[in-house]
Structure formats: C-alpha cells, structure tokens
Amino acid sequence: MKLLRYGPVGQEKPGILDQSGAIRDLSGVIADVDGSILGPDGLAKLAKLDLASLPLVSGNPRIGPCVGSVSKMICCGLNYSDHAAETGSPIPKEPILFAKAVSAICGPNDDVVIPRGSEKTDWEVELGIVIGTRASYVDEADALNYVAGYCVVNDVSERAYQIERGGQWTKGKSADTFGPIGPYVVTKDEITDVQNLEMFLDVCGTRRQTGNTGTMVFGVAHIVHYISQFMTLMPGDVIATGTPPGVGMGMKPPQFLKAGDSMRLGIAGLGEQNQKVVAWSR
C-alpha cells in the first residue's frame, strides 16, 4: 500500500493510491495516516479495503508529509562509506545519531526555505524508515517486524550551522522545511529488498547524487535495533538513514543551494519529491 496525506498545510486528509495511481480518500475509514494506524492491525484493516469503493480525489491537491503527528525524527550521519570519504570523515564504528526537529517536517513538494543568514544550505536524499510498532531494546533479527514502511526523505542541512557553530548537528538540520517526507509511506510488503534500492537527487536538472541503499554502512535492521537501545521508538516515528555521495559540501569547490534553485529526488519504489528553493522572508 501507498499511504499519503493531501490537502492544505495543517488540514491534510488521509489517502491511499489505487492501482492506477489515483488518490482515494480514506477520511471515512481513518482519521489520519499516523502512528494509530501504522501497526500490523491497522495496516491489515486497510489492506482489506476495496479501493474502488472509496471516494476518488479530484484535481491536483497538495501532497502533505506522508506521516502525521510524528513524535520524533532521528537521523543517521555518515552512513554511506563513499559519502564519509567525500567529507573527509572516517567510517563510523557505530551509527552516528542526531535529531531533526519535527517542526522541520513538510510535504515532499513544498518549498524549501533557506534560513535567515544561511550561506551553506545543502541537499541529502535519504531512505526513511517509518516505525509501526513501539520498539524498545529490540533484537536486530526482529527489527523489521517493528517497521511499517518506507519513504523518501530530503535531509536538508545548513553546513555552517551544523559544523562551524559548535555543539551537535541538530541546529544545522532543523530549520523549517528542512524535512520533506513522502510523497507516501510504502508498506514494507511492497519492498522486496530494502537494501537494494536505487536513489538519486538532481539540482536544477543536473544529477548530483546517485546511490543505492546496498552501500549503507549500517542496514535498516541494525539501525532500528541500535536506536531502540537508547530510546523508545514510537509508531509514526521517522528515521532518516543517511545519504550517498554527491552533496554540495563534498564538491570541489563546494556548492550550495540558492533561491530559485530546484531539487528533484527519489528512491526506486518510493516515489519522487520536487522542491523549489526560496529565500527566507518574514
């Protein structure tokens, strides 16, 4: 299943894609696509629906973040060996974890706003894990049982704030609009091998990132297991699993986003995002 949320910001409704790729409204079945329905029982209920009987959503509505009411978004840094190399960093011996504020989360095609004073806003296509079942101290062998599905994440980053301003990475990762997720949550039964998914990101029509989840230093099962040793993962939580090479910071010379730029990114089977970059103004 491909579950999504559509409509104006703050007024998103739950939806599901039918076999033709059309959006069907789920408002009569569930209140939202969130942790309350992402567990095995909730997904089993949705899987039994006759999608043709659901109202067809007309027009071209805005697509919102694919999960609502996310309690936390945890990210893994330097989780692709070739990305670590382009940044001049050693390959981690354990997953590097940091938080992205949930206020950064936005829709997959919403504008990305360059923060006030930013000169080093960067792009990062990433595989997102969506948790379906409360996970605490889970074994790696059982970890995928706690996963509802997967989504595309753009882990937008301000490198000066992340690296040059002291402290942890969170301050460079958490500006408003720095967490586009979606367009949909693809349930894990539709993904044959999550560790063999092609991924890409273009800036202004030029390919910048090309990768495959098979080159992760730490795979999905290990990441879920590992994070659950330090905190309880709740249904609806999102984990961004790291990015392949090709980020602006790693280019020679470095290149960063500016107002008027565009980003297009995607992962095989999980859909695409398209964002316009705009300047901060308030």
Side-chain angles (χ1 to χ4, degrees):
M1 292 181 290
K2 293 181 174 65
L3 303 173
L4 55 85
R5 303 168 70 247
Y6 69 96
V9 176
Q11 302 176 43
E12 293 91 350
K13 296 180 179 181
I16 187 170
L17 287 193
D18 63 20
Q19 290 185 340
S20 72
I23 300 173
R24 299 283 178 164
D25 180 50
L26 283 174
S27 297
V29 181
I30 59 174
D32 201 356
V33 177
D34 59 16
S36 67
I37 61 93
L38 289 170
D41 292 344
L43 294 180
K45 174 184 176 181
L46 296 180
K48 295 177 181 177
L49 294 173
D50 175 12
L51 299 189
S53 69
L54 298 173
L56 186 65
V57 177
S58 61
N60 186 30
R62 167 187 173 268
I63 303 301
C66 57
V67 184
S69 303
V70 177
S71 72
K72 57 184 170 292
M73 187 170 183
I74 305 298
C75 307
C76 296
L78 303 176
N79 194 35
Y80 286 71
S81 57
D82 36 13
H83 171 56
E86 74 173 344
T87 65
S89 304
I91 296 174
K93 294 181 180 179
E94 295 187 38
I96 296 172
L97 303 181
F98 61 91
K100 183 183 282 280
V102 294
S103 56
I105 293 174
C106 64
N109 305 317
D110 291 347
D111 290 346
V112 167
V113 180
I114 296 178
R116 183 172 64 180
S118 165
E119 295 181 354
K120 296 183 179 180
T121 296
D122 206 347
W123 55 85
E124 293 189 12
V125 59
E126 305 201 6
L127 171 73
I129 305 168
V130 180
I131 298 297
T133 303
R134 185 181 186 274
S136 178
Y137 298 110
V138 304
D139 294 332
E140 184 168 344
D142 297 327
L144 295 186
N145 293 329
Y146 295 82
V147 173
Y150 306 100
C151 66
V152 179
V153 174
N154 190 352
D155 178 20
V156 186
S157 309
E158 211 301 334
R159 301 303 188 185
Y161 300 172
Q162 175 188 355
I163 299 168
E164 302 168 20
R165 299 288 296 272
Q168 299 178 342
W169 291 3
T170 300
K171 68 178 71 173
K173 300 283 189 170
S174 294
D176 292 353
T177 73
F178 270 26
I181 61 173
Y184 27 73
V185 178
V186 180
T187 51
K188 63 185 177 183
D189 58 290
E190 291 201 5
I191 304 300
T192 302
D193 183 1
V194 73
Q195 299 300 163
N196 185 25
L197 299 178
E198 298 292 331
M199 51 205 307
F200 76 92
L201 184 144
D202 297 342
V203 178
C204 297
T206 298
R207 183 61 44 93
R208 294 302 187 195
Q209 290 187 272
T210 302
N212 186 290
T213 56
T215 64
M216 285 182 180
V217 178
F218 305 103
V220 168
H222 184 78
I223 289 170
V224 173
H225 149 75
Y226 184 85
I227 296 175
S228 79
Q229 310 306 303
F230 301 96
M231 66 192 80
T232 298
L233 291 166
M234 302 301 293
D237 283 353
V238 177
I239 303 169
T241 57
T243 198
V247 299
M249 177 176 62
M251 299 176 68
K252 298 186 181 359
Q255 296 185 25
F256 298 108
L257 296 167
K258 61 185 183 301
D261 285 349
S262 61
M263 291 180 282
R264 173 176 170 260
L265 57 147
I267 300 177
L270 303 182
E272 294 187 4
Q273 301 183 356
N274 288 274
Q275 292 123 18
K276 179 182 175 183
V277 180
V278 301
W280 184 91
S281 64
R282 238 173 237 170

